[in-house]
């Protein structure tokens, strides 16, 4: 294709390009691109870079910044070896969360597919599933902590047949993995497992609504064609609907990864019991609050999370550009 | 405002139960609404205004709830000095204190113990030993809690609340229990309660701070106040046999605890105490704020006793009582005025005026009027006034970051699996070495 285009172009040696944009267009364009870029750099990138610099320093957050001293990779060494019992459980919880939220996304897609069939009471189910999404995660956390999880008076414990369960505080593990370099096992704590259910409650509805919107705009003719060709329901979904909704799939995948990495509010709302720590709470607790004089170490935790996010974003952007090019 | 439950409450947040629960909730909502206020600007805004006369003193206040701010104004007016009050929401104040103290008002509100010592050690607040020479009505315990590591005073106490073992008088009277003063009596009483079908000890640890109080008490009773302060100051090893002994004693109590400590809020444990499901509860006197006006009979029925002695050498000489008070800026615009304001605030007149508006606190000054006190307040004044040593609470007596991120987590791990205590303590010791405790 592209070689044809080259030969089709007029054989002139001139390199000057004609622009279809007027001067005014250009100014508008510069303002529209420039202001967001400026804000983005000032509000996101400069703080990120400063955090990166701080992570190589020791600063007590009280005396002037000029008293900060460079300590090389010491903060990183500290969080990876001495505070390893905080860093690795948090990273592991984020990983579990990601796997779990992908599972929830699949359930959300399934619900959307079912609701798209115009079964009786679709709107009612839709509202019920979507309801948790209007709540912020912090509110979801407060609701589950006081109404559902409470050991002495929570709904789950009233319905639970056996001995009361401490859904909030029980940090014992459901399964354990022993890694060679760590002197403690990693695993899924019971209280984090309970939190996962609260998160699913919200995430499923979120994905369902996104996917339902996609299904509504899906060309019914394609589906009919698949039916005529003799596809069953599953084959139609797998080979026609799912690939046809690729843009929505990408959005759902991106949202799922971001939700898993940025998880913070619901854990904080449960006052971060041991066993439920995630990177988000680890970073915030190290940097905020009065008397916290370890800005360097907190920044190092922050950089670990930053690198995880940026890694994912770079992968996503590269993939996206590659598709546009081909 | 989730940050609030991650630390032990300051006396200004949780008074005594004369303040009903409803007003507490209402004031929390006001505080939350005011949460967006930015703190740093209030220090230097009044440079030009202060130029008019050298007599005005600026006062950085975290008394942001309506009743508190009215009360602190009454206290300051009673001094007769010319003071400009700059009020900031108390959560915001606390979280931004590091930044604020670099350009503070002349006199600032703060807490006693390590939290004061940390700033005294960094040289950002002034030595006010000369003010203390004019404060004869403060007990030795309060003076110790206001003294920096260099032996000079940096803090003037205003009011406090104590931590003690709470119980219901009616239950103890019904069953014929007597107040234990020794460890053996305490364990015997626990056994008796078990036999009577009552869980002896209410136990909460949601937020990771309530059980720090138990560690403090057992440590001070087992190893004495000096060792406790030294341990909190990072000078002792956490793998020392003395610390192991604390956890051994603690393990003996765990059998009498309510099960599943880590997930329970202090409010749920207080409710169990109110329902007579549990016999005793070690907590600050703010335990009564869990009950509302309709439960006044429960509030009136709650009493407390000092944590029993473990080693007779230390007896019950130490008591835990977080104190709120004031410090002076490093270089105030009005040095003499700030010192006279601090001296006046430490006097009985100021706290009397404060209690006149907000009767929910207990005065640090021993000459303050006590006729408006309820039984718990009277007893608090008595128990703390008689104490030789006053500790502040674990997250106020040591580096707050070390308290929350290292010791707090270690205590949660211990309560979850007491058998792991050796490896838990060696982790604490390893992590402790990354802290400077300066």
């Amino acid at each position: 294709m592209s070689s044809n285009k080259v030969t089709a172009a007029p054989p002139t040696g001139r390199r000057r390009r004609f622009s279809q944009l007027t001067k005014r267009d250009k100014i508008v364009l510069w303002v529209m691109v420039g202001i967001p870029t400026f804000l983005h750099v000032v509000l996101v990138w400069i703080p990120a870079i400063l955090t990166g610099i701080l992570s190589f320093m020791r600063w007590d957050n009280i005396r002037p910044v000029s008293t900060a001293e460079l300590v090389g990779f010491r903060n990183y060494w500290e969080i990876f070896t001495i505070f390893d019992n905080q860093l690795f459980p948090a990273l592991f919880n984020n990983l579990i969360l990601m796997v779990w939220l992908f599972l929830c996304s699949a359930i959300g897609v399934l619900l959307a597919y079912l609701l798209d069939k115009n079964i009786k009471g679709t709107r009612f189910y839709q509202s019920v599933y979507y309801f948790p999404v209007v709540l912020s995660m912090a509110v979801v956390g407060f609701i589950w902590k006081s109404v559902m999880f409470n050991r002495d008076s929570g709904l789950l414990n009233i319905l639970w047949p056996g001995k009361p369960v401490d859904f909030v505080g029980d940090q014992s593990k459901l399964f354990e993995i022993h890694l060679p370099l760590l002197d403690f096992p990693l695993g899924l704590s019971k209280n984090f497992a309970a939190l996962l259910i609260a998160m699913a409650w919200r995430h499923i509805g979120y994905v369902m609504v996104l996917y339902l919107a996609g299904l509504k705009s899906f060309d019914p003719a394609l589906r009919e064609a698949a039916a005529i060709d003799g596809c069953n329901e599953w084959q139609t979904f797998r080979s026609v609907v799912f690939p046809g909704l690729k843009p929505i799939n990408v959005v759902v995948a991106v949202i799922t990864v971001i939700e898993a990495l940025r998880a913070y509010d619901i854990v904080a709302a449960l006052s971060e019991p041991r066993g439920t720590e995630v990177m988000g709470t680890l970073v915030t607790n190290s940097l905020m609050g009065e008397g916290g004089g370890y800005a360097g170490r907190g920044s190092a935790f922050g950089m670990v999370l930053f690198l995880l996010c940026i890694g994912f974003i770079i992968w996503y952007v590269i993939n996206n550009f590659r598709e546009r090019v081909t | 405002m989730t940050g609030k439950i991650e630390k032990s409450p300051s006396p200004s947040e949780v008074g005594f139960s004369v303040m009903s629960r409803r007003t507490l909730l209402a004031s929390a909502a006001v505080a939350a609404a005011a949460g967006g206020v930015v703190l740093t600007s209030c220090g230097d805004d009044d440079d030009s205004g202060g130029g008019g006369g050298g007599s005005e003193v600026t006062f950085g206040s975290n008394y942001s709830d309506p009743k508190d701010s009215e009360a602190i104004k009454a206290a300051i007016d009673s001094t007769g000095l010319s003071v400009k009050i700059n009020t900031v929401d108390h959560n915001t104040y606390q979280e931004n204190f590091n930044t604020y103290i670099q350009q503070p008002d002349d006199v600032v509100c703060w807490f006693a113990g390590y939290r004061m010592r940390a700033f005294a050690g960094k040289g950002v607040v002034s030595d006010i030993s000369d003010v203390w020479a004019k404060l004869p009505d403060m007990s030795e315990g309060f003076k110790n809690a206001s003294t920096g590591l260099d032996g000079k005073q940096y803090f003037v106490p205003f009011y406090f609340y104590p931590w003690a073992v709470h119980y219901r008088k009616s239950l103890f009277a019904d069953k014929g229990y007597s107040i234990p003063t020794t460890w053996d009596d305490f364990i015997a009483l626990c056994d008796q309660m078990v036999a009577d079908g009552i869980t002896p000890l209410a136990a909460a640890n949601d937020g990771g701070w309530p059980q720090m109080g138990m560690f403090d008490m057992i440590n001070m009773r087992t190893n004495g106040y000096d060792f406790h302060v030294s341990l909190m100051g990072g000078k002792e090893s956490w793998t020392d046999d003395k610390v192991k002994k604390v956890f051994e004693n603690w393990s003996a109590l765990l059998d009498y605890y309510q099960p599943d400590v880590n997930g329970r809020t202090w409010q749920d444990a207080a409710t169990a105490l109110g329902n007579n499901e549990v016999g005793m509860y070690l907590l600050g006197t703010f335990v009564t704020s869990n009950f509302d006006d309709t439960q006044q009979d429960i509030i009136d029925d709650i009493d407390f006793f000092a944590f029993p002695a473990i080693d007779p050498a230390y007896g019950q000489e130490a008591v835990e009582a977080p104190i709120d008070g004031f410090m002076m800026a490093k270089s105030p615009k009005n040095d003499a005025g700030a010192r006279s304001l601090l001296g006046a605030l430490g006097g009985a007149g100021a706290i009397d005026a404060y209690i006149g508006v907000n009767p929910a606190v207990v005065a640090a000054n021993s000459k303050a009027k006590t006729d408006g006190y309820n039984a718990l307040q009277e007893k608090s004044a008595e128990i703390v006034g008689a104490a030789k040593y006053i500790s502040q609470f674990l997250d106020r007596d040591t580096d707050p970051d070390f308290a929350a991120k290292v010791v707090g987590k270690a205590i949660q791990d211990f309560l979850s699996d007491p058998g792991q205590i050796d490896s838990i303590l060696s982790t604490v010791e390893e992590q402790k070495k990354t802290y400077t405790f300066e």
Side-chain angles (χ1 to χ4, degrees):
Chain A
M1 286 283 281
S2 55
S3 58
N4 285 350
K5 253 185 192 167
V6 171
T7 49
T12 54
R14 282 197 306 162
R15 299 192 56 111
R16 203 181 142 220
R17 284 190 307 163
F18 283 105
S19 174
Q20 290 178 319
L21 299 173
T22 64
K23 205 167 184 186
R24 200 175 137 193
D25 286 343
K26 280 184 183 162
I27 292 171
V28 169
L29 209 63
W30 270 109
V31 169
M32 285 176 70
V33 174
I35 291 178
T37 309
F38 173 77
L39 287 177
H40 182 76
V41 168
V42 168
L43 296 177
V44 176
W45 282 98
I46 291 179
I49 290 167
L50 290 178
T51 309
I53 295 171
L54 257 187
S55 71
F56 294 102
M57 303 188 112
R58 181 171 292 260
W59 179 45
D60 65 7
N61 210 3
I62 295 175
R63 280 178 290 214
V65 190
S66 56
T67 61
E69 46 176 325
L70 268 172
V71 292
F73 280 91
R74 194 181 165 80
N75 291 320
Y76 290 95
W77 177 79
E78 278 179 6
I79 64 170
F80 277 96
T81 60
I82 297 174
F83 288 89
D84 52 352
N85 72 335
Q86 298 181 5
L87 177 68
F88 289 105
L91 282 173
F92 192 73
N93 277 346
N94 276 105
L95 180 73
I96 290 179
L97 189 56
M98 199 176 296
V99 173
W100 172 254
L101 288 185
F102 267 106
L103 237 128
C104 294
S105 298
I107 297 173
V109 169
L110 177 73
L111 285 179
Y113 198 75
L114 292 178
L115 289 180
D116 191 43
K117 297 274 163 212
N118 281 327
I119 47 172
K120 213 175 163 192
T122 299
R123 283 182 181 247
F124 172 74
Y125 292 122
Q126 226 169 296
S127 317
V128 168
Y129 294 137
Y130 193 65
F131 167 68
V133 185
V134 291
L135 303 172
S136 100
M137 258 313 190
V139 175
V140 173
F142 284 127
I143 291 177
W144 279 73
K145 182 177 189 182
S146 55
V147 180
M148 310 292 277
F149 286 155
N150 190 305
R151 184 192 176 279
D152 301 329
S153 56
L155 183 62
L156 287 182
N157 267 317
I158 292 171
L159 301 174
W160 195 265
K163 252 179 62 176
V165 182
D166 184 9
F167 289 105
V168 180
D170 192 345
Q171 62 190 66
S172 55
K173 303 262 190 284
L174 285 171
F175 66 84
E176 290 187 346
I177 302 171
H178 290 266
L179 290 181
L181 285 172
L182 296 179
D183 49 5
F184 54 90
L186 292 174
L188 173 61
S189 308
K190 286 183 184 161
N191 49 7
F192 195 67
L195 249 176
L196 290 179
I197 294 169
M199 290 197 208
W201 186 54
R202 185 172 178 276
H203 190 76
I204 289 175
Y206 195 7
V207 170
M208 181 203 75
V209 167
L210 274 176
Y211 220 77
L212 203 53
L215 287 172
K216 295 272 185 229
S217 64
F218 191 75
D219 187 355
L222 287 175
R223 235 186 267 198
E224 280 160 25
I228 291 167
D229 284 349
C231 286
N232 64 24
E233 195 78 34
W234 168 242
Q235 283 168 326
T236 311
F237 178 75
R238 214 197 54 162
S239 313
V240 178
V241 179
F242 191 74
L245 287 177
K246 181 138 195 251
I248 304 279
N249 295 338
V250 172
V251 168
V252 167
V254 168
I255 282 177
T256 304
V257 172
I258 288 175
E259 287 277 317
L261 285 177
R262 74 166 188 190
Y264 163 76
D265 27 17
I266 189 167
V267 181
L270 263 75
S271 66
E272 202 201 356
R274 189 99 168 96
T276 65
E277 50 272 270
V278 288
M279 286 308 291
T281 55
L282 201 55
V283 174
T284 344
N285 289 350
S286 326
L287 284 173
M288 286 202 350
E290 107 326 278
Y294 299 87
R297 193 189 299 151
S299 304
F301 279 125
M303 288 313 285
V304 173
L305 181 58
F306 178 77
L307 290 178
L308 282 181
C309 295
I310 206 83
F312 168 72
I313 290 166
I314 288 174
W315 170 83
Y316 169 71
V317 169
I318 288 177
N319 255 16
N320 226 15
F321 272 101
R322 194 175 290 155
E323 270 159 31
R324 294 242 177 102
V325 169
T326 50
Chain B
M1 298 288 110
T2 51
K4 200 168 176 177
I5 42 176
E6 277 151 21
K7 283 207 166 73
S8 63
S10 89
S12 64
E13 286 172 72
V14 284
F16 281 70
S17 59
V18 282
M19 190 179 179
S20 80
R21 196 185 185 198
R22 212 163 297 133
T23 49
L24 196 72
L25 289 175
S27 56
V30 171
V37 181
V38 178
L39 174 75
T40 44
S41 61
C42 71
D44 36 13
D45 266 356
D46 38 297
D47 285 32
S48 48
S55 61
E56 195 180 64
V57 182
T58 57
F59 178 82
S61 165
N62 61 350
Y63 291 83
S64 53
D65 298 347
K67 200 170 193 178
D68 296 341
S69 74
E70 195 189 324
I72 196 72
K73 188 168 184 313
I76 285 173
D77 287 347
S78 78
T79 65
L81 296 164
S82 158
V83 178
K84 181 178 188 315
I85 305 175
N86 296 316
T87 306
V88 174
D89 162 61
H90 62 82
N91 274 327
T92 316
Y93 185 90
Q94 238 166 290
E95 281 177 7
N96 294 324
F97 195 76
N98 286 353
T99 322
Y100 168 62
I101 197 65
Q102 289 163 28
Q103 281 189 312
D105 294 296
D106 295 351
V107 174
V108 300
C109 299
W110 200 234
F111 313 105
Y114 179 93
R115 280 161 124 179
M116 167 273 294
R117 284 183 198 120
F119 292 102
K122 290 180 197 296
V124 291
V125 291
S126 290
D127 169 16
I128 48 168
S129 303
D130 57 322
V131 174
W132 267 87
K134 288 170 235 153
L135 293 175
D137 303 328
M138 294 282 181
S139 75
E140 192 192 346
F142 284 111
K143 188 163 186 175
N144 285 333
S146 307
T147 305
L149 293 173
D150 55 1
K152 292 170 183 163
Q153 283 78 45
Y154 291 90
F155 181 84
V156 172
F158 199 43
Y159 56 71
F160 65 89
Y161 67 80
W163 280 64
V165 184
H166 292 79
Y167 65 96
R168 289 195 62 170
K169 285 182 275 193
S170 60
L171 180 79
F172 270 49
D174 280 356
K175 305 276 182 182
Y177 300 147
S178 53
I179 304 299
T181 53
T182 67
W183 186 248
D184 291 341
D185 290 352
F186 190 50
I187 298 286
L189 176 59
C190 287
D191 282 328
Q192 183 59 44
M193 285 185 177
V194 171
D196 293 342
I198 303 167
T199 306
L201 293 168
N205 200 30
D206 181 66
W209 57 264
Q211 287 298 317
M212 290 176 179
M214 186 60 92
F215 175 84
D216 290 346
M217 287 322 304
I218 299 180
N219 191 26
M220 288 193 291
R221 296 292 187 249
T222 309
N223 300 315
Y225 176 81
D226 289 336
F227 179 81
H228 182 67
V229 169
S230 181
L231 182 71
M232 294 295 112
K235 294 185 195 72
E236 308 283 340
S237 165
W238 282 76
T239 49
D240 193 310
D241 284 342
K242 285 182 158 182
V243 180
K244 290 200 172 133
K245 183 78 191 150
V246 172
F247 284 94
E248 262 169 50
N249 286 336
W250 197 348
S251 297
L253 285 189
L254 291 183
D255 299 338
Y256 304 111
Y257 264 35
Q258 276 181 295
D260 299 331
V261 185
N262 278 333
R264 188 176 293 103
T265 60
W266 69 260
Q267 289 93 338
D268 282 340
T271 303
L273 182 77
N275 296 341
N276 280 332
E277 287 160 22
V278 293
M280 298 175 277
Y281 189 12
L282 175 71
L283 199 76
T285 45
F286 58 85
V287 64
T288 51
S289 68
N290 183 54
F291 305 102
D292 61 24
D293 301 345
T294 62
Q295 295 165 303
Q296 192 61 41
D297 55 323
I298 297 178
I299 295 175
D300 294 339
D301 196 33
I302 288 176
D303 195 2
F304 63 77
F305 57 84
F307 196 82
I310 295 176
D311 185 333
Y314 306 114
Q316 293 174 303
E317 62 182 10
V319 63
E320 187 138 272
I323 306 168
D324 280 2
F326 315 100
M327 301 194 295
M328 187 171 113
K330 181 64 200 165
S331 37
K333 292 181 195 82
N334 182 351
D335 191 285
R339 282 176 204 276
S340 39
L341 176 62
L342 283 167
L345 287 172
I351 189 68
D352 283 346
Y354 186 93
I355 289 176
V357 178
N358 180 3
V361 301
V362 181
N365 190 303
S366 63
K367 291 276 159 53
K369 278 193 218 122
T370 56
D371 27 311
Y373 281 2
N374 62 26
L376 273 195
Q377 283 172 299
E378 257 171 46
K379 200 157 179 183
S380 303
E382 198 180 296
I383 195 174
V384 172
K388 194 168 169 199
Y389 301 108
I390 303 172
S391 65
Q392 293 300 296
F393 201 71
L394 205 150
D395 62 9
R396 294 154 178 266
D397 275 330
T398 186
D399 187 315
D401 196 71
F402 176 65
K405 294 198 68 185
V406 180
V407 183
K409 287 182 195 296
I411 289 175
Q412 293 182 42
D413 287 347
F414 164 72
L415 292 167
S416 169
D417 190 358
Q420 294 294 313
I421 190 61
D422 286 349
S423 77
I424 291 169
L425 287 179
S426 55
T427 305
V428 173
E429 181 60 20
E430 188 192 5
Q431 296 181 341
K432 186 202 85 180
K433 292 188 173 129
T434 66
Y435 289 85
T436 48
F437 297 99
E438 50 188 10

